[in-house]
Amino acid sequence: SMCKVLLAAGFVQTNDPCVYHLWQGEDLLVASVHVDDVFAIATDDNMLDRLDDALAGAFETPEYKLTRHLGPQLSYLKMMINHKEDGSVEVDQQLYLEKVIRDWGHGYGESARGERLIDDAEEGTNSHPMQATHVPREDDEVPIDSTWYRGVVGAINYAATMTRPDLLYAMSVLASHSAQPTRLHRRMLKRVMRYLVATKHWKLTFNHDDDWELAAWADASYASREGCKSQTGYCFALGEGNASFYVKSQKQKIVTLSSTEAEYVALFHAVTEVVYLRRLLEELGLEQRATRVFQDNQSTILWAQGHQNHARTKHIAIKYHYVMQLVQDGTIELEHLPTEDTRADLQTKPL
């Protein structure tokens, strides 16, 4: 397997089973494995030769090929990565989204089964992907083809996960109805598709600087989903002023009894990711101080610092108090940030 080949070549597997690193003096090579693709970066080109030799010796097939990319642009996993002259990096999926619009929006793709979500006259007519409220219609509950629905939701959700965090909340809501979608959900998908047409060229820009400190934002929208459950949102960046490289939006699995409790649950999920990311960064030689986690609910911060009202917190599952341990041992520092300045707010409600 790929794992055995890399380990035999001297690579070390990080706490992420798909990421390997190799130190040679002051030089570092990092390899990320995705199924049968390996994406590697190194501080010295000679280190790539060692990776090339290891893979070529193990996979002597016509399909094996190591591509050395030295130009400013490259394509990987349907993403275009553009290195700018100022050292910044732009990442977009315009070509992929154009195909999604062509296949699913206009119904030209074989898997789209002739379904059309948008007409030419409707292209780019929505400035946001989801409305906060919907005007009821008589056919709202009429079921639609779930196979087709799952196909288009999956196609858009891939872009949302990789480069379009502005779509994550909408896709979280739509994906939750994949088993029994209705015409209401088809209309919601249509709005997302029209929004995509207008914004398919949008990019993530990662600035070039020396700030490798992990920063996190966590938020929740209380009782905003079906069954009175709340929505969790969190995101991470290397440096507070940089773009988020990992973003999550998901419905909470439990019913919470207050907005403070919902925020506490969201904070728990965010800080468990903080622990994982800190370990990964430190294995790659990027030492971390206490990670700043921004939260807009002051009562939640007090709970995490140990100032809890027993009558209001005695029912909370023990695992969520893991947050307190991370505060006490200095792994994280909680800071209050107004809601309007909290990045994660984008992942908890419609734009």
Side-chain angles (χ1 to χ4, degrees):
S1 68
M2 186 73 74
C3 177
K4 292 180 180 178
V5 171
L6 293 175
L7 293 177
F11 285 80
V12 177
Q13 191 175 36
T14 68
N15 70 313
D16 186 320
C18 295
V19 179
Y20 299 79
H21 67 83
L22 176 66
W23 286 95
Q24 203 169 67
E26 295 295 320
D27 292 316
L28 171 67
L29 186 151
V30 180
S32 173
V33 179
H34 180 81
V35 191
D36 59 353
D37 288 327
V38 180
F39 184 85
I41 57 174
T43 56
D44 187 334
D45 282 348
N46 292 327
M47 297 191 71
L48 292 174
D49 294 332
R50 185 166 175 177
L51 174 63
D52 191 16
D53 292 341
L55 296 179
F59 305 104
E60 295 179 355
T61 64
E63 292 78 17
Y64 170 74
K65 181 177 66 174
L66 177 68
T67 301
R68 297 288 183 95
H69 191 93
L70 302 177
Q73 286 188 327
L74 65 93
S75 175
Y76 184 66
L77 299 179
K78 297 182 173 62
M79 295 182 291
M80 289 301 300
I81 304 171
N82 186 17
H83 293 259
K84 309 294 287 185
E85 291 183 358
D86 62 0
S88 62
V89 177
E90 292 180 345
V91 184
D92 73 86
Q93 289 182 282
Q94 181 172 346
L95 295 178
Y96 171 72
L97 289 175
E98 287 175 350
K99 185 178 186 305
V100 170
I101 293 166
R102 181 173 64 253
D103 290 354
W104 298 100
H106 293 153
Y108 297 147
E110 181 179 346
S111 57
R113 301 186 180 184
E115 285 269 8
R116 289 175 63 89
L117 277 173
I118 53 176
D119 297 318
D120 294 340
E122 297 177 315
E123 289 197 357
T125 55
N126 285 124
S127 59
H128 51 280
M130 177 169 282
Q131 294 174 299
T133 58
H134 297 277
V135 178
R137 296 186 185 180
E138 292 182 359
D139 64 347
D140 277 354
E141 301 303 319
V142 175
I144 63 172
D145 181 359
S146 61
T147 301
W148 170 85
Y149 182 85
R150 287 193 294 270
V152 64
V153 167
I156 299 175
N157 196 50
Y158 177 70
T161 303
M162 302 300 285
T163 62
R164 294 296 301 270
D166 54 320
L167 297 171
L168 276 173
Y169 175 79
M171 300 319 298
S172 171
V173 173
L174 291 170
S176 67
H177 298 284
S178 294
Q180 294 179 312
T182 66
R183 289 187 179 179
L184 170 62
H185 306 124
R186 187 185 187 280
R187 286 196 293 273
M188 295 167 69
L189 261 182
K190 180 176 181 177
R191 184 177 190 90
V192 173
M193 189 66 74
R194 285 154 56 182
Y195 172 77
L196 272 182
V197 173
T199 62
K200 61 188 177 184
H201 60 284
W202 283 11
K203 304 175 181 180
L204 284 178
T205 300
F206 297 95
N207 298 320
H208 173 69
D209 57 38
D210 296 323
D211 189 353
W212 293 95
E213 291 289 335
L214 182 67
W217 293 259
D219 196 18
S221 180
Y222 176 59
S224 60
R225 297 292 301 273
E226 305 86 354
C228 296
K229 293 182 178 179
S230 304
Q231 184 78 5
T232 285
Y234 52 82
C235 56
F236 306 94
L238 291 177
E240 295 170 23
N242 224 326
S244 299
F245 67 87
Y246 178 29
V247 186
K248 189 80 171 181
S249 178
Q250 63 185 13
K251 182 171 71 173
Q252 294 184 0
K253 296 181 179 180
I254 62 173
V255 175
T256 52
L257 306 186
S258 66
S259 59
T260 299
E261 186 178 336
E263 298 273 4
Y264 196 60
V265 171
L267 184 60
F268 161 78
H269 288 291
V271 299
T272 56
E273 296 284 359
V274 165
V275 172
Y276 152 71
L277 290 170
R278 283 173 58 89
R279 288 174 182 166
L280 178 60
L281 290 169
E282 289 174 350
E283 285 186 83
L284 300 180
L286 301 172
E287 293 299 321
Q288 299 290 304
R289 293 177 293 184
T291 299
R292 300 174 72 185
V293 182
F294 298 96
Q295 163 65 234
D296 66 353
N297 188 299
Q298 293 183 336
S299 296
T300 299
I301 294 176
L302 289 175
W303 281 14
Q305 292 173 339
H307 307 294
Q308 299 184 358
N309 183 324
H310 178 69
R312 294 194 176 191
T313 60
K314 61 185 179 182
H315 65 282
I316 297 176
I318 293 175
K319 70 175 184 178
Y320 295 113
H321 298 308
Y322 178 55
V323 179
M324 284 194 294
Q325 177 184 322
L326 297 179
V327 172
Q328 292 168 3
D329 67 19
T331 301
I332 63 172
E333 290 181 356
L334 298 178
E335 293 194 23
H336 177 259
L337 199 65
T339 301
E340 58 270 20
D341 297 327
T342 301
R343 292 190 192 187
D345 188 57
L346 179 69
Q347 278 70 59
T348 62
K349 57 181 68 70
L351 291 176

